Amino acid sequence: MYAIVDCNSFYCSCERVFRPDLKERGIVVLSNNDGCVISRTEEAKKAGIGMAVPYYQCREQLEKAGITVFSSNYYLYGDMSRRVMDTLRVIANDSNEDRVEVYSVDEAFIELSHIPPENLNDYAIHLKNTVEQWTGVRVSVGVGPSRVLSKMANRLAKKRPGITNGVLVLQSDQQIREALEETEVSDIWGIGYRYAVKLRDEFGIRSAWQLKHIPLEWARKNLGGVVGVRLIKELCGETMREKKDPLEKKKMIATTRMFGAPVYTLEPLREAIATYTARAAEKLRRQYSAASSLDVFVVTNGSKGKPYQYQPGTDHRYFNLPRPSSVTHELIAHAMPLVTSLYREGVKYLKAGVILGGIVPDNSVQADLFSAEQQKNKTALMDVMDNLNFSMRGDVIRYGATGTTRHWTMRQDKRSPRYTTRWEELFEVGKGKVD
DNA sequence: TCTGGGGTCCTAGGACCC
DNA sequence: TCTGGGGTCCTAGGACCC
């Protein structure tokens, strides 16, 4: 059996922990650049604020409903996430077994073969209560024979807070059948918008219970090959995936951003790409990797008059490095000609990004006979930069190519203090009203 | 005027090899 | 120029997730 522990409205919950005055009041958190709503409390949902709605479209509505708006504060959410996961590890792990699989910033699976079936419900309640008591973040817990079924349990637990108290265990055939019948295919983990439409319109399949009974060969043909087959088996209670190794390295590293305001000239475009390349290179070094390809892309405003989602207008250029590198200035040097060749005068640029691929362990990079000494120096330089920037918690030293004026950086007008990661922004007891 | 930023896995098809 | 069978590697694109 598996449990999934999922934080309720995670970003909003994090804000609430340090703003007890907002305990019973609505909160939303905005995406980067204060673009759209990405986290909502129950009060905000009830006020009719949709997920992923652009901020400018619901601003008035939010004001009228007295809902507090925050820009996203990833320092805070990252640190709160660590606390939640640490709590789960304390409860679920023993010295020789790591049963916690962190799935995303606000979710973790826990493998439960060590818990007797009759104790599963109490155990799930214990998980929930402990996380809430230790971190202040509210969570829901779903338990089932496979990961897909535990996700289904979690969703139903959230849907019926009064009945389930945020915990639901799917154990008997009867319980599982009822859950499957009650769940629409579009609400199954692994069925996205397109498959849901296809299943409904072409085949008349609406409930998870119906989907569970389709032949595997049919799933292979119509639901993305082996992915579809695995999904059906998971619905039947079979576990189709081993725990992911937490040491596994990323196969692709991307840094992409909308600009705070549109960009029309080459210079800021180059600064932005240099900045994103530097950030991506940091991520690369943090996992002891080097990249062998570099892809630069820009997004223009596309054709006028069309709705946003139909006007991507992206253009990209990529470059294969003569040998893999994680040295910031080498990568920037390769990226700059790509930006210059992409740039066209008079075009309005909204967004840009860098994607590093062909990622290999940095110790496997072939040493160049004639430049071993230089290479050592570059590595030492990167170490110094990373250590300085990390210990000072900011870009204390940067490359000149990343710019000095930087008018293109994102907007974040309503960010809360970084309460848990900066001394000068520490939460002060007695300043606010605390229960 | 103003719509996020990451990732994963899989398949098909082309280039190339023996 | 035609003829076969069996592979690998790479890229683009589609689907999904939070």
Side-chain angles (χ1 to χ4, degrees):
Chain A
M1 298 289 278
Y2 293 90
I4 181 138
V5 180
D6 187 319
C7 302
N8 302 346
S9 314
F10 180 57
Y11 295 171
C12 293
S13 299
C14 293
E15 300 291 350
R16 213 173 235 171
V17 168
F18 295 93
R19 289 290 302 273
D21 56 308
L22 300 177
K23 198 171 172 187
E24 310 284 336
R25 318 231 344 239
I27 299 176
V28 299
V29 174
L30 303 177
S31 65
N32 269 344
N33 231 8
D34 294 345
C36 51
V37 173
I38 52 170
S39 182
R40 310 161 291 159
T41 60
E42 287 308 314
E43 296 81 5
K45 291 177 196 172
K46 278 188 191 126
I49 307 297
M51 187 61 171
V53 172
Y55 177 44
Y56 73 92
Q57 279 177 14
C58 59
R59 187 184 224 135
E60 268 185 43
Q61 207 180 342
L62 288 164
E63 269 170 34
K64 259 187 220 156
I67 292 168
T68 308
V69 178
F70 290 95
S71 302
S72 33
N73 183 347
Y74 292 109
Y75 303 90
L76 178 62
Y77 312 150
D79 191 58
M80 293 302 289
S81 173
R82 185 187 55 75
R83 296 178 187 205
V84 170
M85 302 309 169
D86 283 350
T87 305
L88 294 176
R89 289 190 189 100
V90 169
I91 303 169
N93 288 355
D94 50 51
S95 51
N96 45 28
E97 199 75 54
D98 178 17
R99 303 190 175 90
V100 178
E101 179 186 2
V102 176
Y103 177 71
S104 74
V105 70
D106 71 332
E107 285 173 76
F109 288 105
I110 300 173
E111 200 274 315
L112 294 178
S113 59
H114 62 303
I115 306 295
E118 64 275 16
N119 295 349
L120 282 171
N121 202 58
D122 289 344
Y123 189 81
I125 292 170
H126 175 59
L127 283 170
K128 176 180 157 71
N129 291 343
T130 311
V131 172
E132 293 182 356
Q133 201 179 345
W134 290 11
T135 69
V137 175
R138 308 264 296 170
V139 298
S140 303
V141 183
V143 176
S146 66
R147 287 183 179 79
V148 169
L149 290 174
S150 72
K151 289 281 276 189
M152 190 172 290
N154 192 292
R155 189 181 152 275
L156 294 173
K158 275 208 175 87
K159 235 178 89 181
R160 307 176 290 201
I163 307 165
T164 61
N165 280 318
V167 172
L168 182 62
V169 178
L170 295 179
Q171 208 164 4
S172 71
D173 289 348
Q174 181 59 26
Q175 288 166 332
I176 293 171
R177 175 170 182 157
E178 280 172 15
L180 286 164
E181 285 176 337
E182 193 178 329
T183 302
E184 288 183 32
V185 284
S186 58
D187 293 323
I188 298 171
W189 187 49
I191 298 290
Y193 177 76
R194 286 176 200 266
Y195 285 159
V197 169
K198 181 170 169 180
L199 285 167
R200 188 193 61 209
D201 293 353
E202 290 180 37
F203 306 102
I205 295 172
R206 287 166 183 280
S207 73
W209 178 250
Q210 281 174 295
L211 188 64
K212 176 189 165 168
H213 292 94
I214 64 164
L216 291 181
E217 277 321 300
W218 189 93
R220 190 188 303 279
K221 234 178 82 188
N222 294 290
L223 294 178
V226 300
V227 181
V229 173
R230 284 205 284 255
L231 176 64
I232 305 301
K233 288 189 175 173
E234 284 258 331
L235 282 176
C236 296
E238 258 181 86
T239 295
M240 292 312 294
R241 187 169 63 87
E242 291 310 307
K243 200 175 88 178
K244 224 174 63 194
D245 182 354
L247 297 176
E248 226 167 82
K249 294 178 176 178
K250 286 178 181 147
K251 297 165 183 167
M252 174 204 111
I253 288 174
T255 302
T256 74
R257 295 270 181 292
M258 295 280 301
F259 299 129
V263 161
Y264 295 90
T265 52
L266 179 58
E267 204 41 43
L269 211 53
R270 289 170 59 95
E271 288 179 7
I273 290 295
T275 305
Y276 303 161
T277 306
R279 177 75 56 234
E282 266 178 24
K283 295 183 198 172
L284 200 57
R285 294 193 293 270
R286 211 177 304 148
Q287 62 164 37
Y288 305 105
S289 298
S292 38
S293 74
L294 185 152
D295 195 334
V296 169
F297 72 87
V298 292
V299 178
T300 68
N301 70 333
S303 34
K304 263 203 159 135
K306 286 189 185 167
Y308 178 78
Q309 61 268 39
Y310 298 120
Q311 43 158 288
T314 80
D315 200 359
H316 79 286
R317 296 258 194 293
Y318 77 89
F319 180 76
N320 288 314
L321 279 70
R323 57 178 215 140
S325 170
S326 63
V327 177
T328 299
H329 53 266
E330 286 181 357
L331 294 167
I332 290 180
H334 291 307
M336 288 303 99
L338 300 180
V339 191
T340 307
S341 78
L342 277 171
Y343 175 74
R344 283 169 291 139
E345 226 180 295
V347 172
K348 180 178 179 181
Y349 293 98
L350 303 177
K351 173 180 181 170
V354 171
I355 302 173
L356 301 178
I359 289 174
V360 298
D362 61 0
N363 56 20
S364 76
V365 174
Q366 191 100 59
D368 182 328
L369 189 59
F370 301 105
S371 62
E373 197 58 30
Q374 275 181 37
Q375 191 55 39
K376 249 202 266 169
N377 291 341
K378 288 177 191 166
T379 309
L381 175 61
M382 291 301 108
D383 280 348
V384 170
M385 277 191 69
D386 289 343
N387 286 335
L388 268 173
N389 285 337
F390 181 75
S391 61
M392 310 290 280
R393 305 226 183 232
D395 286 341
V396 181
I397 39 175
R398 295 191 283 118
Y399 282 94
T402 63
T404 48
T405 52
R406 298 157 67 88
H407 296 306
W408 42 270
T409 53
M410 68 183 175
R411 290 188 303 266
Q412 261 200 331
D413 298 336
K414 300 166 188 301
R415 206 200 64 217
S416 52
R418 291 163 285 193
Y419 299 108
T420 63
T421 54
R422 296 266 182 153
W423 287 112
E424 63 278 19
E425 296 179 24
L426 210 57
F427 182 73
E428 288 177 44
V429 178
K431 195 175 173 190
K433 259 178 75 184
V434 185
D435 316 325

